[in-house]
Amino acid sequence: QQQVKQSPQSLIVQKGGISIINCAYENTAFDYFPWYQQFPGKGPALLIAIRPDVSEKKEGRFTISFNKSAKQFSLHIMDSQPGDSATYFCAASINNDMRFGAGTRLTVKP
Amino acid sequence: DAGITQSPRHKVTETGTPVTLRCHQTENHRYMYWYRQDPGHGLRLIHYSYGVKDTDKGEVSDGYSVSRSKTEDFLLTLESATSSQTSVYFCAISEVRAEYGYTFGSGTRLTVV
């Protein structure tokens, strides 16, 4: 049973548009929610992360929105660029147990 | 990826043979992890280590064993490879458990034929 559900599986956005990826989790004990970005042939790299006591975190064009009561969080990429084309993974963790979503393949068309 | 190296990068092996993948770090981080990545499943934790000779099972540990005899090296062994273990394997390191994020290696693509 997947503890972190991610949607959509794939996403195509025009350059300059907003990319939105959603995740939902089951375990209310999770206390750390990172997003990772992965380019082909590379390992995932930490993009941005949030803790459940904060509802929103912004770093440049990337924003995490967190809804604790709904057990959902999302990644918004503003002014999406072709260089943002990659696979994005949400994750949730407690202690050494980090569970990842299945991933979203984002394509930004020029 | 700076500070973490996986070897080999690619391997093809036959069903039933033993396989060992190596993860080497130069960051002196306490925590090391092995994940497998499969389409539709994201990354799933196989085993992790929280110190020399200290390891624990993850979500999908059946058929895998690990060893960590030095801080810098974490080995993943498939005792008798099966086709279901065809995957991309990633090693990750972290300084303070899952907090502050993991640093992942570049992965090992393993094919079991």
Side-chain angles (χ1 to χ4, degrees), chain A residues 25-33 52 71 92-95:
Chain A
Y25 62 96
E26 298 287 330
N27 188 351
T28 55
F30 287 137
D31 61 2
Y32 176 72
F33 300 87
K71 293 189 290 185
S93 78
I94 179 168
N95 296 328

Side-chain angles (χ1 to χ4, degrees), chain A:
Chain A
Q1 181 186 4
Q2 196 156 26
Q3 291 202 22
V4 180
K5 295 184 179 179
Q6 183 172 344
S7 62
Q9 276 188 305
S10 63
L11 180 62
I12 300 174
V13 174
Q14 290 295 130
K15 178 183 175 181
I18 302 173
S19 303
I20 302 174
I21 304 171
N22 300 298
C23 283
Y25 62 96
E26 298 287 330
N27 188 351
T28 55
F30 287 137
D31 61 2
Y32 176 72
F33 300 87
W35 284 88
Y36 283 83
Q37 179 188 56
Q38 184 180 29
F39 293 104
K42 301 290 187 181
L46 179 66
L47 188 62
I48 187 171
I50 199 168
R51 293 205 172 273
D53 54 345
V54 177
S55 62
E56 185 176 283
K57 183 174 181 179
K58 184 176 180 180
E59 289 184 2
R61 295 184 295 110
F62 301 91
T63 299
I64 299 179
S65 297
F66 188 85
N67 186 331
K68 188 174 181 178
S69 61
K71 293 189 290 185
Q72 294 176 349
F73 58 111
S74 60
L75 176 69
H76 295 236
I77 305 174
M78 310 299 289
D79 187 26
S80 299
Q81 299 297 312
D84 296 331
S85 296
T87 299
Y88 292 81
F89 293 95
C90 63
S93 78
I94 179 168
N95 296 328
N96 288 299
D97 190 357
M98 184 174 287
R99 302 296 177 114
F100 286 82
T104 296
R105 180 171 291 184
L106 172 65
T107 302
V108 181
K109 290 192 173 294

